[in-house]
Amino acid sequence: MRGKEIIAMLLAGGQGSRLGILTKTKAKPAVSYGGKFRMIDFPLSNCINSGIDTVGVLTQYQPLLLNKHIGNGVPWDLDRTSGGTAILQPHQKNDNTGDWYSGSANAVCQNINFIDEYNPEYVLVLGGDHIYKMDYSLMLDAHKQNNADATIAVIEVPWDEASRYGIMNADESGRVTAFVEKPKEPVSNLASMGIYIFTWKYLREALIESDKLHTDSDFGKHIIPLLLEGGKTMFAYKFTDYWRDVGTIDSYFESNMELIATVPLFNLYEEHKRIYTNSPHQPPQYTGENADVRGSLLSEGCEIYGTVINSVLGYGVKVHNGARVVNSIVMENCNIGRDTVIEDCILDENSLIGDNVTIGVSVGDDAQAVNELRPDIYNTGITVIGEYSKIPDNVRIGKNCVVEGVSVYSDYDCGLLANGRSVIKPVLM
């Protein structure tokens, strides 16, 4: 068949374990963002806005919701007879080979046949869990102009965060001279965004060679160093607009809150760079006569009878009379009872909060207590309620708390859950 100039391989199989219970039953790219979107909407929309109409989506961990959300690609105009979206999950091949994806490069390597079907000149590799808008066609233009074999999108990060990323050195022309994955002592703050354009014939060779050498072949750890050592021409493509790696509870919370600033850092309303999504049909949002809504994003189908301040609400959320939602993220189809206070919280989808409940306001003597079960995840004062959870009437839940499942009053100490404590119960969906 006649080859396509470029196709995209979108890596969407990660668990995102640092997001705690938000990714317990769904892959990180499927987590809700900004009220009506899911994280994967951003790279998918970037692809179609950049003129890329063939996207292989590589899923693995908890793929059900992600697969359902993407469907046949209609919301992104990716329902094409030639190209469009293809869900690529691990599979067994004719020679009885095949296994779970063990690394980012291994995942692409297992789908070489899919790429070969389109015989592309270039392949774009990107993650499904970052928040940004980018015209990949401009990056492709730079790749061609530099006569590059590989181009890596980079962004300058704070020096104290550089050790979290793949860091590279580049000369004045932008040519990459060295690359180190998550260095303990970084010598540069030029960080890889996990977005790559490769000339396919060279990437294909590197994928096969690396997969023979490493059981967990990875782009940052193996492919980039292999290409550099082989003398391939590699350039950095500097990106200066909004980009967020929302891989922690704190970064996820902050990025959502940035959307509701008077002048938001990230503009969701640009007509020429729209973000598309697969959202269910909902009635218009409704605010009751005594409702008070300030500085918030409300999605379709919300019913607000109480107060919502500085918060992001997904579709179908109901806030009853006397309830207050402040500085919080409330995902789709949550129900918040009368006279309930939600503050500094993340409520995952389909949670039911009773009447006269307080969540996210300090309870107990230790106001700085981190979470007892996962102090590495829940430590910035944000309380998280898992999806399909039920909180009974008349309880108080403090900061850095985690509640999951259908709880009853007796699960709480005289109706109290102190800062840093957890209640984990079965989830009834």
Side-chain angles (χ1 to χ4, degrees):
M1 64 176 291
R2 181 182 177 184
K4 287 183 174 287
E5 181 182 39
I6 185 170
I7 71 169
M9 298 295 280
L10 201 167
L11 301 166
Q15 178 179 358
S17 58
R18 293 179 298 161
L19 285 176
I21 58 173
L22 298 182
T23 54
K24 186 173 181 178
T25 61
K26 53 184 171 286
K28 182 181 173 186
V31 172
S32 295
Y33 178 87
K36 66 178 295 180
F37 305 104
R38 297 191 186 276
M39 291 187 195
I40 200 168
D41 293 335
F42 293 86
L44 280 175
S45 298
N46 289 337
C47 283
I48 200 64
N49 289 338
S50 303
I52 298 172
D53 62 5
T54 303
V55 184
V57 183
L58 287 74
T59 64
Q60 178 162 276
Y61 172 80
Q62 295 283 9
L64 182 61
L65 178 57
L66 198 60
N67 294 352
K68 181 180 178 181
H69 179 68
I70 296 171
N72 61 358
V74 169
W76 304 272
D77 192 27
L78 286 168
D79 53 327
R80 308 293 179 96
T81 55
S82 175
T85 53
I87 304 296
L88 304 173
Q89 294 178 277
H91 59 280
Q92 188 171 341
K93 300 174 178 60
N94 289 336
D95 58 358
N96 292 324
T97 62
D99 205 345
W100 294 110
Y101 298 148
S102 57
S104 57
N106 172 264
V108 176
C109 186
Q110 289 198 41
N111 289 282
I112 281 179
N113 289 344
F114 169 80
I115 301 173
D116 282 344
E117 283 184 18
Y118 296 98
N119 189 28
E121 190 170 353
Y122 309 103
V123 170
L124 167 69
V125 177
L126 61 157
D129 53 7
H130 295 144
I131 307 301
Y132 65 107
K133 293 182 181 181
M134 185 174 182
D135 188 343
Y136 303 131
S137 69
L138 300 179
M139 184 175 171
L140 179 60
D141 289 343
H143 182 85
K144 295 176 182 177
Q145 290 166 8
N146 291 325
N147 198 24
D149 303 318
T151 299
I152 304 174
V154 299
I155 193 167
E156 291 185 358
V157 298
W159 278 92
D160 60 350
E161 296 181 11
S163 60
R164 293 175 45 205
Y165 299 92
I167 297 295
M168 65 201 68
N169 289 345
D171 62 21
E172 292 182 357
S173 71
R175 184 162 182 165
V176 176
T177 57
F179 180 91
V180 182
E181 181 73 2
K182 299 181 179 178
K184 291 183 179 180
E185 297 181 2
V187 296
S188 165
N189 69 334
L190 207 57
S192 169
M193 298 167 63
I195 302 169
Y196 316 98
I197 290 180
F198 297 98
T199 300
W200 172 232
K201 63 180 179 180
Y202 297 123
L203 175 59
R204 194 182 193 282
E205 294 170 357
L207 288 171
I208 294 171
E209 182 177 351
S210 178
D211 212 51
K212 291 177 181 176
L213 298 172
H214 309 284
T215 58
D216 59 346
S217 182
D218 178 86
F219 280 98
K221 293 178 182 178
H222 307 122
I223 297 297
I224 301 304
L226 182 63
L227 292 173
L228 277 175
E229 291 166 7
K232 293 297 186 286
T233 304
M234 186 177 299
F235 275 82
Y237 178 80
K238 190 173 287 189
F239 186 72
T240 57
D241 288 336
Y242 186 97
W243 178 84
R244 292 291 185 272
D245 178 359
V246 289
T248 65
I249 290 292
D250 194 37
S251 62
Y252 173 80
F253 187 85
E254 286 184 0
S255 182
N256 273 271
M257 292 297 106
E258 287 171 345
L259 297 174
I260 53 182
T262 303
V263 182
L265 292 174
F266 188 51
N267 188 353
L268 289 173
Y269 303 98
E270 296 171 297
E271 184 63 30
H272 66 292
K273 293 182 179 179
R274 293 184 62 186
I275 302 299
Y276 304 95
T277 189
N278 184 2
S279 59
H281 295 292
Q282 292 283 322
Q285 58 186 243
Y286 175 77
T287 53
E289 60 181 354
N290 296 318
D292 181 7
V293 179
R294 287 174 272 166
S296 299
L297 289 181
L298 306 182
S299 300
E300 298 94 328
C302 285
E303 294 181 50
I304 312 300
Y305 301 95
T307 298
V308 179
I309 300 173
N310 197 49
S311 295
V312 177
L313 273 58
Y315 62 80
V317 170
K318 190 170 185 178
V319 180
H320 289 267
N321 287 318
R324 287 176 56 86
V325 178
V326 181
N327 199 42
S328 294
I329 301 166
V330 182
M331 299 186 196
E332 62 190 63
N333 294 323
C334 289
N335 192 305
I336 299 171
R338 295 173 181 269
D339 301 316
T340 283
V341 175
I342 308 293
E343 187 171 314
D344 296 329
C345 291
I346 300 173
L347 272 59
D348 206 346
E349 304 172 18
N350 299 290
S351 291
L352 178 62
I353 313 300
D355 296 338
N356 195 35
V357 172
T358 300
I359 307 177
V361 179
S362 187
V363 176
D365 296 331
D366 187 357
Q368 305 301 319
V370 298
N371 188 261
E372 58 184 347
L373 300 180
R374 292 301 304 268
D376 56 322
I377 294 178
Y378 311 104
N379 53 37
T380 59
I382 300 166
T383 286
V384 182
I385 309 299
E387 65 178 349
Y388 289 97
S389 293
K390 183 176 181 180
I391 311 296
D393 298 342
N394 304 313
V395 302
R396 290 175 56 202
I397 299 170
K399 293 183 173 295
N400 287 325
C401 292
V402 176
V403 178
E404 180 183 31
V406 178
S407 60
V408 295
Y409 190 83
S410 59
D411 292 318
Y412 302 84
D413 184 9
C414 297
L416 304 179
L417 188 66
N419 301 330
R421 303 300 297 275
S422 301
V423 172
I424 308 297
K425 304 287 286 186
V427 175
L428 304 178
M429 300 176 66

